[in-house]
């Protein structure tokens, strides 16, 4: 591909008042604003006035897709459509519609990518869960930190649930990008050909996007790295703004279909691993190589202890036997129960159990009096008890139960629920 130094900037926006400030901040802080090409999917409500792109529509470096919010299929479908607007720009930058940028951000991240290439990575990719900013706060109060992404647990529906944590030593002036296992949906920087080699799967909905894209990118030969300096910020809380699942009634159907598609791609929970044309794994590295690199085995939800300890990839091992011995399988789950269901004031224990498909108890993890009181009284505005439990298992639980005991009224009615997997 002919080098043109242009950056194709993919921005998916859903009824976002931060869209215009993000575009403006991106341009104002770039060293070479004329090399920025904005490709934007704007999913909007005509009653909203805050995200109108009219003034940008005649600019040659803006390519805009507009769709009514109630016709939206979710963020992955939006990003898929944006990639169709790509026209051989040298670099690909994927963002959300709520970001801020340091002065000279474009020069800094291009140099970082090219330095990785010079150091031996043929196809480097920068990604990050970016530090946060608050649009209602001063710029100097932005969080100055650098995060890595780690797997906290497998969700019952299939995909890993990812969290950020600080990369130690990033403030050292000689710090360099650290290897990553996953990609972030809100920050990817790579060669422009990335969006042709690893196109977005429009049938994914939300959860699973980042794991899927990271594994697919790795198998297409991309080396994944965490951004090592706080040069771009992301707005996480977005309090008071509309989300797709708040507005569009079909989101639940899209979500279930997406989870099933993920499990088929990764061969999880009894699903045979299925190649998905255009949106499957690549031909440069195998899926098995990605699992060894990441320390995650999807078919039985196993995680290497090294990975569980949040150490950077690849996972070191001396032999296949040594590698197989160091897997752990942890199930971590939040039981959400309507708080008004618990009417007594003198609970001394809640029996909490998880059961298999045959209704056989797998494990008991009871809540004692102190924990029960804390859960019931922690947040008066929250109508739900949020009860976290985790344990080692190679089998996904099918259901759970809570059986409360009152000091004055003895055993109370049992509350039961299913672990939400739709195979």
């Amino acid at each position: 591909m002919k080098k043109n130094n242009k950056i194709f900037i993919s921005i998916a926006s859903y009824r976002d008042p931060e869209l215009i400030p993000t575009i403006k901040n991106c341009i104002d802080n770039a060293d070479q604003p004329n090399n920025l090409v904005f490709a934007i999917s704007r999913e909007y409500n005509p009653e909203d006035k805050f995200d109108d792109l009219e003034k940008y529509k005649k600019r040659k470096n803006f390519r805009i897709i507009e769709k009514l919010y109630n016709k939206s299929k979710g963020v992955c479908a939006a990003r898929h459509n944006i990639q169709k607007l790509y026209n051989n720009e040298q670099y690909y930058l994927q963002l959300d519609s709520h970001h801020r940028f340091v002065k000279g951000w474009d020069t800094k991240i291009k140099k970082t990518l090219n330095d990785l290439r010079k150091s031996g990575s043929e196809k480097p990719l920068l990604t990050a869960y970016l530090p946060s900013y608050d649009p209602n706060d001063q710029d100097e109060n932005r969080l100055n930190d650098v995060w890595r992404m780690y797997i906290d647990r497998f969700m019952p529906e299939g995909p890993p649930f990812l969290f950020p944590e600080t990369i130690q030593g990033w403030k050292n002036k000689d710090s360099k990008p650290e290897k990553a296992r996953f990609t972030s949906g809100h920050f990817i920087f790579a060669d422009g050909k990335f969006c042709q080699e690893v196109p977005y799967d429009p049938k994914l909905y939300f959860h699973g996007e980042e794991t899927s894209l990271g594994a697919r990118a790795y198998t297409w030969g991309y080396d994944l790295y965490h951004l090592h300096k706080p040069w771009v910020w992301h707005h996480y809380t977005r309090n008071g703004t509309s989300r797709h699942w708040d507005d569009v009634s079909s989101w639940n159907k899209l979500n279930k279909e997406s989870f099933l598609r993920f499990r088929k791609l990764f061969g999880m929970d009894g699903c045979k691993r299925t190649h998905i044309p255009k949106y499957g794994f690549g031909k440069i590295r195998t899926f098995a190589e990605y699992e060894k690199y990441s320390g995650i085995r999807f078919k039985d939800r196993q995680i290497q202890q090294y990975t569980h300890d949040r150490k950077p990839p690849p996972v070191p091992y001396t032999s296949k036997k040594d590698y197989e011995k160091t897997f752990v399988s942890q199930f971590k789950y939040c039981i959400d129960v309507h708080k008004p269901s618990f009417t007594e004031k003198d609970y001394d224990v809640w029996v909490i159990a998880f059961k298999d498909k045959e209704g056989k108890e797998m494990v008991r993890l009871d809540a004692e009096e102190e924990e029960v009181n804390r859960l019931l009284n922690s947040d008066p505005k929250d109508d739900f008890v949020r009860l976290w439990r985790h344990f080692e298992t190679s089998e996904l639980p099918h259901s759970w139960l809570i059986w409360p005991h009152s000091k004055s009224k003895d055993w109370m009615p049992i509350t039961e629920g299913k672990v939400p997997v739709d195979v």
Side-chain angles (χ1 to χ4, degrees), residues 9 11 40 65 74 83 97 113 134 186 193 202-203 258 292 298 309 312 330 344 371 374 389 410-411 413:
I9 304 176
I11 298 179
I40 301 170
I65 301 169
Q83 289 179 334
S97 49
L113 194 78
D134 183 342
H186 69 246
K193 62 184 179 183
K203 293 188 178 180
S258 174
K292 283 191 169 64
F298 289 85
D309 291 339
Q330 290 208 349
E344 305 308 315
E371 183 183 7
R374 177 174 55 79
R389 287 297 182 263
D410 205 17
W411 292 103

Side-chain angles (χ1 to χ4, degrees), residues 349-365:
V349 67
W350 287 358
V351 171
I352 299 167
F354 288 87
K355 298 186 290 185
D356 62 18
K357 289 183 178 181
E358 283 69 45
K360 182 180 177 181
E361 182 179 297
M362 296 174 63
V363 66
R364 267 185 62 173
L365 299 165

Side-chain angles (χ1 to χ4, degrees), residues 22 93-102 109 126-133 142-149 163-165 183-189 210 225-237:
T22 293
L93 174 62
Q94 180 173 298
L95 304 170
D96 283 344
S97 49
H98 27 273
H99 286 268
R100 294 292 184 270
F101 303 81
V102 74
I109 61 173
L126 290 167
T127 191
Y129 276 175
L130 297 170
S132 62
Y133 80 94
R142 294 173 187 164
L143 182 64
N144 279 307
D145 209 350
V146 173
W147 292 336
R148 66 163 62 90
M149 302 162 67
F163 267 138
E165 71 169 359
T183 55
S184 160
H186 69 246
F187 182 81
I188 294 172
F189 189 73
E210 296 172 325
Y225 293 92
H226 292 296
L227 187 66
H228 65 306
K229 298 292 181 182
W231 293 332
V232 189
W233 290 264
H234 180 259
H235 181 39
Y236 286 90
T237 56

Side-chain angles (χ1 to χ4, degrees), residues 90-93 109-127 177-180 182-183 187-195 197-198 214 217-218 220-227 285 293:
Q90 187 173 347
Y91 300 101
Y92 175 79
L93 174 62
I109 61 173
K110 283 191 288 188
K111 182 180 185 305
T112 301
L113 194 78
N114 290 323
D115 284 349
L116 287 169
R117 188 178 288 108
K118 290 175 184 176
S119 68
S121 175
E122 185 178 343
K123 297 169 72 172
L125 180 153
L126 290 167
T127 191
E178 179 183 286
K179 287 188 176 181
F182 313 102
T183 55
F187 182 81
I188 294 172
F189 189 73
D191 284 349
K193 62 184 179 183
F194 171 82
C195 69
E197 289 186 329
V198 195
Y218 185 85
W220 275 108
Y222 286 88
D223 299 322
L224 313 181
Y225 293 92
H226 292 296
L227 187 66
R285 298 177 179 130
Y293 168 82

Side-chain angles (χ1 to χ4, degrees), residues 177-419:
E178 179 183 286
K179 287 188 176 181
R181 292 179 173 86
F182 313 102
T183 55
S184 160
H186 69 246
F187 182 81
I188 294 172
F189 189 73
D191 284 349
K193 62 184 179 183
F194 171 82
C195 69
Q196 296 176 320
E197 289 186 329
V198 195
Y200 249 82
D201 185 344
K203 293 188 178 180
L204 289 182
Y205 180 67
F206 186 73
H207 289 296
E209 164 198 4
E210 296 172 325
T211 307
S212 169
L213 203 67
R216 291 175 56 216
Y218 185 85
T219 60
W220 275 108
Y222 286 88
D223 299 322
L224 313 181
Y225 293 92
H226 292 296
L227 187 66
H228 65 306
K229 298 292 181 182
W231 293 332
V232 189
W233 290 264
H234 180 259
H235 181 39
Y236 286 90
T237 56
R238 300 184 62 205
N239 291 332
T241 61
S242 297
R243 311 292 183 97
H244 186 268
W245 47 84
D246 297 322
D247 292 338
V248 181
S249 60
S250 62
W251 81 268
N252 195 38
K253 179 175 181 291
L254 293 170
N255 198 35
K256 287 183 177 181
E257 291 172 349
S258 174
F259 281 136
L260 179 57
R261 190 171 177 87
F262 182 94
R263 295 196 297 274
K264 286 182 176 180
L265 177 64
F266 284 86
M268 298 183 67
D269 303 334
C271 293
K272 182 180 179 181
R273 194 153 67 83
T274 305
H275 174 67
I276 301 175
K278 291 187 180 181
Y279 313 115
F281 298 112
K283 300 177 180 179
I284 310 300
R285 298 177 179 130
T286 66
F287 175 63
E289 287 177 306
Y290 174 72
E291 288 192 309
K292 283 191 169 64
Y293 168 82
S294 65
I296 301 170
R297 194 166 64 202
F298 289 85
K299 67 178 182 181
D300 52 4
R301 298 169 173 262
Q302 297 274 326
I303 304 171
Q304 279 281 333
Q305 186 64 54
Y306 180 92
T307 300
H308 192 66
D309 291 339
R310 306 203 287 273
K311 296 178 181 178
V315 175
Y317 62 94
T318 56
S319 66
K320 183 177 180 180
K321 184 178 180 181
D322 173 58
Y323 179 79
E324 293 295 332
K325 284 196 310 184
T326 50
F327 275 106
V328 293
S329 181
Q330 290 208 349
F331 176 77
K332 188 174 182 181
Y333 184 65
C334 183
I335 299 173
D336 292 335
V337 188
H338 201 224
K339 196 179 292 183
S341 302
F342 303 102
T343 57
E344 305 308 315
K345 305 296 183 183
D346 62 346
Y347 296 114
D348 57 356
V349 67
W350 287 358
V351 171
I352 299 167
F354 288 87
K355 298 186 290 185
D356 62 18
K357 289 183 178 181
E358 283 69 45
K360 182 180 177 181
E361 182 179 297
M362 296 174 63
V363 66
R364 267 185 62 173
L365 299 165
D366 296 350
E368 302 297 336
E369 186 172 358
E370 181 181 351
E371 183 183 7
V372 170
N373 289 331
R374 177 174 55 79
L375 289 167
L376 291 175
N377 299 308
S378 59
D379 185 355
K381 296 180 180 179
D382 192 346
D383 287 336
F384 285 85
V385 173
R386 305 187 189 280
L387 187 66
W388 281 98
R389 287 297 182 263
H390 62 90
F391 55 94
E392 289 193 14
T393 178
S394 58
E395 179 184 358
L396 185 66
H398 181 260
S399 61
W400 53 262
L401 68 81
I402 300 176
W403 191 7
H405 183 267
S406 160
K407 295 177 183 177
S408 60
K409 295 186 179 179
D410 205 17
W411 292 103
M412 306 301 291
I414 293 174
T415 299
E416 296 186 86
K418 289 185 177 180
V419 174

